[in-house]
Amino acid sequence: MNILLNKTREEIARDNVTKAEVERITDHIDQRFNKLEAKIDQLIGKNQQVLHISVHSFCPKERGVEHNAAIGLLYDSHRSGEKEVVRIWHELLLKRTPYTVRLNYPRSGRGDNYTSYLRKHLNQEDYLGIELEVNALVLEDKNSVDSVQIGRAHV
């Protein structure tokens, strides 16, 4: 469903997605984002700093270009708190995994995305937004998936 977030209405129409489907998907996404924003506001209201980790996968090859990393950590390099969290996380991943880990890859951490939207509305004393990007090839490798303990944060 996230695929619609980066598409224009014209692109959606070309994909033969009906207006009702777009409305349904948009409503679902809005409900999820509203719930997340309410939780963030609640935590900030209790004087807690929020560390928001947004997790995504990326295609091994896009527009004919092969990606050369298994994991990407995206952040806003102008926000010192995010920079420090990513520095520590990057070091840990390099020490404890066999994977190539790159910073602000496969795209910029300051791009047009939900964490960037939240950064514009919240200061870094209240909110840190990091994106964990995982190459889909890693997810397809049963050995790599089995070796990772997977947990789920509750919102």
Side-chain angles (χ1 to χ4, degrees):
M1 285 192 278
N2 263 352
I3 199 143
L4 291 180
L5 289 177
N6 295 323
K7 289 190 172 191
T8 65
R9 292 196 183 280
E10 293 79 22
E11 290 171 322
I12 293 169
R14 276 197 307 267
D15 290 343
N16 294 320
V17 177
T18 67
K19 185 175 181 182
E21 290 171 316
V22 171
E23 294 278 331
R24 184 178 54 77
I25 292 168
T26 302
D27 287 347
H28 175 77
I29 291 169
D30 286 347
Q31 287 174 15
R32 298 283 306 238
F33 287 166
N34 290 340
K35 185 177 179 182
L36 177 61
E37 287 176 39
K39 184 64 172 179
I40 290 170
D41 288 343
Q42 178 188 24
L43 293 169
I44 291 171
K46 294 178 180 179
N47 293 320
Q48 295 179 335
Q49 186 181 49
V50 174
L51 173 58
H52 172 209
I53 309 286
S54 183
V55 181
H56 309 273
S57 63
F58 62 91
C59 295
K61 190 174 185 179
E62 292 179 89
R63 295 184 180 107
V65 177
E66 199 163 316
H67 291 297
N68 61 359
I71 298 171
L73 297 174
L74 282 54
Y75 67 104
D76 183 340
S77 60
H78 294 100
R79 293 173 70 112
S80 60
E82 290 181 19
K83 197 173 188 176
E84 181 63 8
V85 168
V86 167
R87 182 191 66 77
I88 293 167
W89 198 1
H90 185 235
E91 285 178 16
L92 289 170
L93 286 169
L94 290 176
K95 287 178 186 175
R96 298 182 181 183
T97 71
Y99 301 118
T100 304
V101 182
R102 294 187 57 188
L103 304 181
N104 281 332
Y105 184 86
R107 56 187 166 74
S108 166
R110 297 182 73 201
D112 184 20
N113 56 51
Y114 192 58
T115 52
S116 294
Y117 164 81
L118 291 171
R119 284 186 201 115
K120 290 176 188 166
H121 294 72
L122 302 167
N123 64 53
Q124 72 173 337
E125 288 73 30
D126 294 331
Y127 174 83
L128 302 175
I130 312 281
E131 293 182 69
L132 170 64
E133 296 278 347
V134 181
N135 190 314
L137 288 177
V138 173
L139 301 175
E140 290 177 7
D141 179 4
K142 183 174 176 10
N143 292 328
S144 68
V145 173
D146 287 347
S147 69
V148 177
Q149 291 183 347
I150 299 174
R152 184 166 188 257
H154 297 281
V155 176

Coordinates of all heavy atoms in Angstrom, one line a residue, residues 39-103:
K39 N 0.5 8.9 19.4 CA 1.4 8.2 20.3 C 2.7 9.1 20.5 O 3.2 9.2 21.7 CB 1.8 6.8 19.8 CG 2.6 6.0 20.8 CD 1.9 5.7 22.1 CE 2.7 4.8 22.9 NZ 2.0 4.5 24.2
I40 N 3.2 9.6 19.5 CA 4.4 10.5 19.6 C 4.1 11.7 20.4 O 4.9 12.1 21.3 CB 4.9 10.9 18.2 CG1 5.5 9.7 17.5 CG2 5.9 12.0 18.3 CD1 5.9 9.9 16.0
D41 N 3.0 12.3 20.2 CA 2.5 13.5 21.0 C 2.4 13.1 22.4 O 2.8 13.9 23.3 CB 1.2 14.1 20.4 CG 1.4 14.8 19.1 OD1 2.5 15.1 18.7 OD2 0.4 15.0 18.4
Q42 N 1.8 12.0 22.7 CA 1.6 11.5 24.1 C 3.0 11.3 24.8 O 3.1 11.8 25.9 CB 0.9 10.2 24.1 CG 0.7 9.6 25.4 CD 0.1 8.2 25.4 OE1 0.2 7.4 24.4 NE2 -0.6 7.7 26.4
L43 N 3.9 10.7 24.1 CA 5.3 10.5 24.7 C 6.0 11.9 24.9 O 6.6 12.1 26.0 CB 6.1 9.6 23.9 CG 5.6 8.2 23.8 CD1 6.3 7.4 22.7 CD2 5.7 7.5 25.2
I44 N 5.9 12.7 24.0 CA 6.5 14.1 24.1 C 5.9 14.8 25.2 O 6.5 15.5 26.0 CB 6.4 14.8 22.8 CG1 7.4 14.2 21.7 CG2 6.8 16.3 23.0 CD1 7.2 14.7 20.3
G45 N 4.6 14.7 25.4 CA 3.8 15.3 26.5 C 4.3 14.8 27.8 O 4.2 15.5 28.8
K46 N 4.9 13.7 27.9 CA 5.5 13.1 29.1 C 7.0 13.4 29.2 O 7.7 12.8 30.0 CB 5.2 11.6 29.2 CG 3.8 11.2 29.3 CD 3.7 9.7 29.3 CE 2.2 9.2 29.4 NZ 2.1 7.8 29.4
N47 N 7.4 14.4 28.4 CA 8.8 14.8 28.4 C 9.8 13.6 28.0 O 10.9 13.6 28.5 CB 9.3 15.4 29.7 CG 8.6 16.7 30.0 OD1 8.4 17.5 29.0 ND2 8.1 17.0 31.2
Q48 N 9.3 12.8 27.1 CA 10.1 11.7 26.7 C 10.6 12.0 25.2 O 9.8 12.5 24.4 CB 9.4 10.4 26.7 CG 9.1 9.9 28.1 CD 8.3 8.6 28.1 OE1 7.6 8.2 27.2 NE2 8.4 7.9 29.2
Q49 N 11.8 11.7 24.9 CA 12.3 11.8 23.5 C 11.9 10.5 22.8 O 12.0 9.4 23.3 CB 13.8 12.0 23.5 CG 14.3 12.3 22.1 CD 15.8 12.4 22.1 OE1 16.5 11.6 22.6 NE2 16.3 13.5 21.4
V50 N 11.4 10.7 21.6 CA 10.9 9.6 20.8 C 12.0 9.2 19.7 O 12.5 10.1 19.0 CB 9.6 10.0 20.0 CG1 9.2 8.9 19.0 CG2 8.5 10.3 21.0
L51 N 12.4 8.0 19.7 CA 13.2 7.4 18.7 C 12.3 6.6 17.8 O 11.9 5.5 18.2 CB 14.4 6.6 19.3 CG 15.3 5.9 18.2 CD1 15.9 6.8 17.3 CD2 16.3 5.1 19.0
H52 N 12.1 7.1 16.6 CA 11.2 6.4 15.6 C 12.0 5.7 14.6 O 12.8 6.3 13.9 CB 10.3 7.5 15.0 CG 9.5 7.0 13.9 ND1 9.1 7.9 12.8 CD2 8.9 5.8 13.6 CE1 8.4 7.2 12.0 NE2 8.2 6.0 12.4
I53 N 11.9 4.4 14.6 CA 12.6 3.6 13.6 C 11.6 3.1 12.5 O 10.7 2.4 12.8 CB 13.3 2.3 14.2 CG1 14.1 2.7 15.4 CG2 14.1 1.6 13.1 CD1 15.4 3.4 15.1
S54 N 11.8 3.6 11.3 CA 10.9 3.2 10.2 C 11.6 2.2 9.4 O 12.7 2.4 8.9 CB 10.6 4.5 9.4 OG 9.7 4.2 8.4
V55 N 11.0 1.0 9.2 CA 11.7 -0.1 8.5 C 11.1 -0.4 7.1 O 9.9 -0.4 7.0 CB 11.6 -1.4 9.4 CG1 12.3 -2.6 8.7 CG2 12.1 -1.1 10.8
H56 N 12.0 -0.5 6.2 CA 11.6 -0.7 4.8 C 12.5 -1.7 4.1 O 13.7 -1.9 4.6 CB 11.6 0.6 4.0 CG 10.9 1.7 4.6 ND1 9.6 2.0 4.4 CD2 11.3 2.7 5.4 CE1 9.2 3.0 5.1 NE2 10.2 3.5 5.7
S57 N 12.1 -2.2 3.0 CA 13.0 -3.0 2.1 C 13.2 -2.2 0.9 O 12.4 -1.3 0.5 CB 12.5 -4.4 1.8 OG 11.3 -4.3 1.1
F58 N 14.3 -2.5 0.2 CA 14.5 -1.8 -1.1 C 14.9 -2.9 -2.2 O 15.4 -3.9 -1.8 CB 15.6 -0.7 -1.1 CG 17.0 -1.1 -0.7 CD1 17.9 -1.4 -1.6 CD2 17.3 -1.1 0.7 CE1 19.2 -1.8 -1.3 CE2 18.6 -1.4 1.0 CZ 19.6 -1.7 0.1
C59 N 14.6 -2.6 -3.4 CA 14.9 -3.5 -4.5 C 16.4 -3.6 -4.7 O 17.1 -2.6 -4.7 CB 14.2 -3.1 -5.8 SG 12.4 -3.1 -5.7
P60 N 16.9 -4.8 -5.0 CA 18.3 -5.0 -5.3 C 18.8 -4.2 -6.5 O 19.9 -3.8 -6.5 CB 18.5 -6.5 -5.5 CG 17.2 -7.1 -5.0 CD 16.1 -6.1 -5.0
K61 N 17.9 -4.0 -7.4 CA 18.2 -3.3 -8.6 C 17.1 -2.3 -9.0 O 15.9 -2.7 -9.0 CB 18.4 -4.3 -9.8 CG 19.0 -3.7 -11.0 CD 19.3 -4.8 -12.0 CE 20.0 -4.3 -13.2 NZ 20.3 -5.4 -14.2
E62 N 17.4 -1.0 -9.2 CA 16.4 0.0 -9.5 C 16.9 0.8 -10.7 O 18.0 1.3 -10.7 CB 16.1 0.9 -8.3 CG 15.4 0.2 -7.2 CD 15.2 1.2 -6.0 OE1 14.1 1.8 -6.0 OE2 16.1 1.3 -5.2
R63 N 16.0 0.9 -11.7 CA 16.3 1.7 -12.9 C 17.6 1.2 -13.5 O 18.4 2.1 -13.9 CB 16.3 3.2 -12.6 CG 14.9 3.7 -12.2 CD 15.0 5.2 -12.0 NE 13.7 5.7 -11.6 CZ 13.4 6.0 -10.4 NH1 14.3 6.0 -9.4 NH2 12.1 6.5 -10.1
G64 N 17.9 -0.1 -13.5 CA 19.1 -0.6 -14.1 C 20.3 -0.5 -13.3 O 21.4 -1.0 -13.7
V65 N 20.2 0.1 -12.1 CA 21.4 0.2 -11.2 C 21.3 -0.8 -10.1 O 20.3 -0.8 -9.4 CB 21.5 1.7 -10.7 CG1 22.6 1.8 -9.7 CG2 21.6 2.7 -11.8
E66 N 22.3 -1.5 -9.9 CA 22.4 -2.5 -8.8 C 22.9 -1.9 -7.6 O 23.9 -1.2 -7.5 CB 23.3 -3.7 -9.2 CG 23.0 -4.9 -8.4 CD 23.7 -6.1 -9.0 OE1 23.5 -6.3 -10.3 OE2 24.3 -6.9 -8.3
H67 N 22.1 -2.1 -6.5 CA 22.5 -1.5 -5.2 C 23.6 -2.3 -4.6 O 23.6 -3.6 -4.7 CB 21.3 -1.5 -4.2 CG 20.3 -0.4 -4.6 ND1 20.5 0.9 -4.7 CD2 19.0 -0.6 -5.0 CE1 19.5 1.5 -5.1 NE2 18.5 0.6 -5.3
N68 N 24.6 -1.7 -4.0 CA 25.7 -2.4 -3.4 C 25.8 -2.3 -1.9 O 26.9 -2.1 -1.3 CB 27.0 -1.8 -4.0 CG 27.2 -0.3 -3.7 OD1 26.4 0.3 -3.1 ND2 28.3 0.2 -4.2
A69 N 24.7 -2.5 -1.3 CA 24.6 -2.6 0.2 C 23.5 -3.5 0.6 O 22.5 -3.7 -0.2 CB 24.4 -1.2 0.8
A70 N 23.6 -4.2 1.7 CA 22.6 -5.0 2.3 C 21.6 -4.2 3.2 O 20.4 -4.4 3.2 CB 23.1 -6.2 3.0
I71 N 22.2 -3.2 3.9 CA 21.5 -2.4 4.8 C 21.8 -1.0 4.7 O 23.0 -0.6 4.5 CB 21.8 -2.9 6.3 CG1 21.4 -4.3 6.5 CG2 21.2 -2.0 7.3 CD1 21.9 -4.9 7.8
G72 N 20.8 -0.1 4.7 CA 21.0 1.3 4.7 C 20.4 1.9 6.0 O 19.3 1.5 6.4
L73 N 21.1 2.9 6.6 CA 20.6 3.6 7.7 C 20.4 5.1 7.3 O 21.4 5.7 6.9 CB 21.6 3.6 8.9 CG 21.8 2.2 9.5 CD1 22.9 2.2 10.6 CD2 20.5 1.6 10.1
L74 N 19.2 5.5 7.2 CA 18.9 6.8 6.7 C 18.6 7.8 7.9 O 17.8 7.4 8.8 CB 17.6 6.8 5.8 CG 17.9 6.3 4.4 CD1 18.5 5.0 4.3 CD2 16.6 6.3 3.6
Y75 N 19.1 9.0 7.8 CA 18.9 9.9 8.9 C 19.2 11.3 8.3 O 19.7 11.5 7.2 CB 19.9 9.6 10.1 CG 21.4 9.8 9.7 CD1 22.1 11.0 10.1 CD2 22.0 8.9 8.9 CE1 23.4 11.1 9.8 CE2 23.3 9.1 8.6 CZ 24.0 10.2 9.0 OH 25.3 10.4 8.7
D76 N 18.9 12.4 9.1 CA 19.2 13.7 8.8 C 20.5 14.1 9.4 O 20.6 14.2 10.6 CB 18.1 14.6 9.2 CG 18.3 16.1 8.8 OD1 19.4 16.5 8.5 OD2 17.3 16.9 8.8
S77 N 21.5 14.3 8.6 CA 22.9 14.6 9.1 C 23.0 15.9 9.8 O 24.0 16.2 10.5 CB 23.9 14.5 8.0 OG 23.6 15.4 7.0
H78 N 22.0 16.8 9.7 CA 21.9 18.0 10.3 C 21.4 18.0 11.7 O 21.4 18.9 12.5 CB 21.1 19.1 9.5 CG 21.8 19.4 8.2 ND1 21.4 18.8 7.0 CD2 22.8 20.2 7.9 CE1 22.1 19.3 6.0 NE2 23.0 20.1 6.6
R79 N 20.9 16.8 12.1 CA 20.3 16.6 13.5 C 21.3 15.7 14.2 O 21.5 14.5 14.0 CB 19.0 15.9 13.4 CG 17.9 16.9 12.7 CD 16.6 16.2 12.5 NE 15.9 15.9 13.7 CZ 14.8 16.5 14.1 NH1 14.2 17.4 13.3 NH2 14.1 16.1 15.2
S80 N 22.0 16.4 15.2 CA 23.1 15.7 15.9 C 22.6 14.4 16.7 O 23.4 13.4 16.7 CB 23.7 16.7 16.9 OG 22.8 17.1 17.9
G81 N 21.4 14.4 17.2 CA 20.9 13.2 17.9 C 20.8 12.0 16.9 O 21.2 10.9 17.3
E82 N 20.2 12.3 15.8 CA 20.1 11.2 14.8 C 21.5 10.7 14.3 O 21.7 9.5 14.1 CB 19.3 11.7 13.6 CG 17.8 11.9 13.9 CD 17.0 12.3 12.7 OE1 17.4 12.1 11.5 OE2 15.9 12.8 12.9
K83 N 22.4 11.7 14.1 CA 23.7 11.3 13.7 C 24.4 10.4 14.7 O 25.1 9.5 14.3 CB 24.5 12.6 13.5 CG 25.8 12.5 12.7 CD 26.3 14.0 12.5 CE 27.5 13.9 11.5 NZ 27.9 15.3 11.2
E84 N 24.3 10.7 16.0 CA 24.9 9.9 17.0 C 24.3 8.5 17.1 O 25.0 7.5 17.2 CB 24.8 10.6 18.4 CG 25.5 9.9 19.5 CD 27.0 9.7 19.4 OE1 27.6 10.3 18.5 OE2 27.5 9.0 20.2
V85 N 22.9 8.4 17.0 CA 22.3 7.1 17.1 C 22.8 6.3 15.9 O 23.1 5.1 16.1 CB 20.7 7.3 17.1 CG1 20.1 5.9 16.8 CG2 20.2 7.9 18.4
V86 N 22.8 6.8 14.7 CA 23.2 6.1 13.6 C 24.7 5.7 13.6 O 25.1 4.6 13.2 CB 22.9 6.9 12.3 CG1 23.6 6.3 11.1 CG2 21.4 6.9 12.1
R87 N 25.5 6.6 14.2 CA 26.9 6.2 14.3 C 27.1 5.0 15.2 O 27.8 4.0 14.8 CB 27.7 7.4 14.9 CG 29.2 7.1 15.0 CD 29.9 8.2 15.9 NE 29.5 8.2 17.3 CZ 29.9 7.2 18.2 NH1 30.7 6.3 17.8 NH2 29.5 7.3 19.4
I88 N 26.4 4.9 16.3 CA 26.5 3.8 17.2 C 25.9 2.5 16.5 O 26.5 1.4 16.6 CB 25.8 4.1 18.5 CG1 26.6 5.2 19.3 CG2 25.7 2.8 19.4 CD1 25.8 5.8 20.4
W89 N 24.8 2.7 15.9 CA 24.1 1.5 15.3 C 24.9 1.0 14.2 O 25.1 -0.2 14.0 CB 22.7 2.0 14.8 CG 21.7 0.9 14.5 CD1 21.9 -0.5 14.7 CD2 20.4 1.0 14.0 NE1 20.8 -1.2 14.3 CE2 19.9 -0.3 13.9 CE3 19.6 2.1 13.7 CZ2 18.6 -0.5 13.4 CZ3 18.4 1.9 13.2 CH2 17.8 0.6 13.1
H90 N 25.5 1.9 13.4 CA 26.4 1.5 12.2 C 27.6 0.7 12.7 O 27.9 -0.4 12.2 CB 26.8 2.8 11.5 CG 27.6 2.5 10.3 ND1 28.9 3.0 10.1 CD2 27.3 1.8 9.2 CE1 29.3 2.7 8.9 NE2 28.4 1.9 8.3
E91 N 28.2 1.1 13.8 CA 29.4 0.4 14.3 C 29.0 -1.0 14.8 O 29.7 -2.0 14.6 CB 29.9 1.2 15.5 CG 30.8 2.4 15.1 CD 31.3 3.2 16.3 OE1 31.3 2.6 17.5 OE2 31.7 4.3 16.2
L92 N 27.8 -1.1 15.5 CA 27.3 -2.4 16.0 C 27.0 -3.3 14.8 O 27.4 -4.5 14.9 CB 26.1 -2.2 16.8 CG 26.3 -1.6 18.2 CD1 25.0 -1.3 18.9 CD2 27.2 -2.5 19.1
L93 N 26.4 -2.8 13.8 CA 26.0 -3.7 12.6 C 27.3 -4.1 11.9 O 27.4 -5.3 11.5 CB 25.1 -2.9 11.6 CG 23.7 -2.7 12.1 CD1 23.0 -1.8 11.2 CD2 23.0 -4.1 12.1
L94 N 28.3 -3.3 11.8 CA 29.5 -3.7 11.1 C 30.3 -4.7 11.9 O 30.9 -5.7 11.3 CB 30.4 -2.5 10.9 CG 30.0 -1.4 9.9 CD1 30.9 -0.2 9.8 CD2 29.8 -2.1 8.5
K95 N 30.2 -4.7 13.2 CA 30.9 -5.6 14.1 C 30.2 -7.0 14.2 O 30.8 -8.0 14.3 CB 31.0 -5.1 15.5 CG 32.1 -4.0 15.7 CD 32.1 -3.5 17.1 CE 33.0 -2.3 17.2 NZ 33.0 -1.7 18.6
R96 N 28.8 -6.9 14.1 CA 28.0 -8.1 14.4 C 27.3 -8.8 13.2 O 26.7 -9.8 13.4 CB 27.0 -7.8 15.5 CG 27.7 -7.3 16.8 CD 26.7 -7.0 17.8 NE 27.4 -6.6 19.0 CZ 26.8 -6.3 20.1 NH1 25.5 -6.4 20.2 NH2 27.5 -5.9 21.2
T97 N 27.4 -8.2 12.1 CA 26.8 -8.8 10.9 C 27.8 -8.9 9.8 O 28.8 -8.1 9.7 CB 25.6 -8.0 10.4 OG1 26.0 -6.8 9.8 CG2 24.6 -7.7 11.5
P98 N 27.6 -9.8 8.8 CA 28.5 -9.9 7.7 C 28.1 -8.9 6.5 O 28.7 -8.9 5.5 CB 28.3 -11.3 7.2 CG 26.9 -11.6 7.6 CD 26.6 -10.9 8.9
Y99 N 27.1 -8.1 6.8 CA 26.5 -7.3 5.7 C 27.2 -6.0 5.5 O 27.8 -5.4 6.4 CB 25.1 -7.0 6.0 CG 24.2 -8.3 6.1 CD1 23.6 -8.6 7.3 CD2 24.1 -9.1 5.1 CE1 22.9 -9.7 7.4 CE2 23.4 -10.3 5.2 CZ 22.8 -10.6 6.4 OH 22.0 -11.7 6.5
T100 N 27.1 -5.5 4.2 CA 27.6 -4.2 3.9 C 26.5 -3.2 4.4 O 25.3 -3.3 4.0 CB 27.7 -4.0 2.3 OG1 28.6 -5.0 1.9 CG2 28.2 -2.6 2.0
V101 N 26.9 -2.2 5.2 CA 26.0 -1.3 5.8 C 26.4 0.1 5.3 O 27.6 0.5 5.5 CB 26.0 -1.3 7.3 CG1 25.0 -0.4 7.9 CG2 25.7 -2.8 7.8
R102 N 25.5 0.9 4.7 CA 25.8 2.2 4.2 C 24.9 3.2 4.9 O 23.8 2.9 5.2 CB 25.7 2.3 2.7 CG 26.8 1.4 2.0 CD 26.8 1.6 0.5 NE 27.0 3.0 0.2 CZ 26.9 3.4 -1.1 NH1 26.6 2.6 -2.1 NH2 27.1 4.7 -1.4
L103 N 25.4 4.4 5.0 CA 24.6 5.5 5.6 C 24.0 6.3 4.5 O 24.6 6.6 3.5 CB 25.5 6.4 6.5 CG 26.3 5.7 7.6 CD1 27.1 6.7 8.4 CD2 25.4 4.9 8.5

